[in-house]
Amino acid sequence: VALKKMPLHKRSRKELVVSEIQIMKENRHPNIVNYIDSYLVDGNLWLVMEYVDGGTLTSVLIQVIMEEGMIAAISRE
């Protein structure tokens, strides 16, 4: 299980996050990181997601340079 903290001090950001959570709740797939639950603590939204070994997608994309064919294969899956 992984946790992610999201500050909710901007209203438009709140609406976007609520919409995204609703979509994550309704959609589950073995090839994506699935949503488990969320909690509001001291004005911060904590998302509970499945654990992914190797870090965040952002950290992987910064460290790994992918060629177009590899990106296409991953996107297709």
Side-chain angles (χ1 to χ4, degrees), residues 13-68:
R13 177 92 173 126
K14 285 180 191 178
E15 293 168 359
L16 178 62
V17 170
V18 169
S19 295
E20 189 170 338
I21 288 172
Q22 193 61 36
I23 291 168
M24 289 188 299
K25 278 181 166 181
E26 295 170 1
N27 296 285
R28 300 189 66 75
H29 193 277
N31 294 340
I32 63 170
V33 178
N34 289 297
Y35 168 88
I36 297 172
D37 207 346
S38 54
Y39 302 92
L40 188 59
V41 179
D42 297 328
N44 292 304
L45 178 64
W46 288 85
L47 297 179
V48 181
M49 308 288 290
E50 288 180 324
Y51 177 75
V52 177
D53 192 26
T56 65
L57 178 59
T58 302
S59 66
V60 171
L61 292 176
I62 289 170
Q63 297 174 13
V64 178
I65 298 175
M66 291 190 272
E67 296 178 6
E68 186 176 338

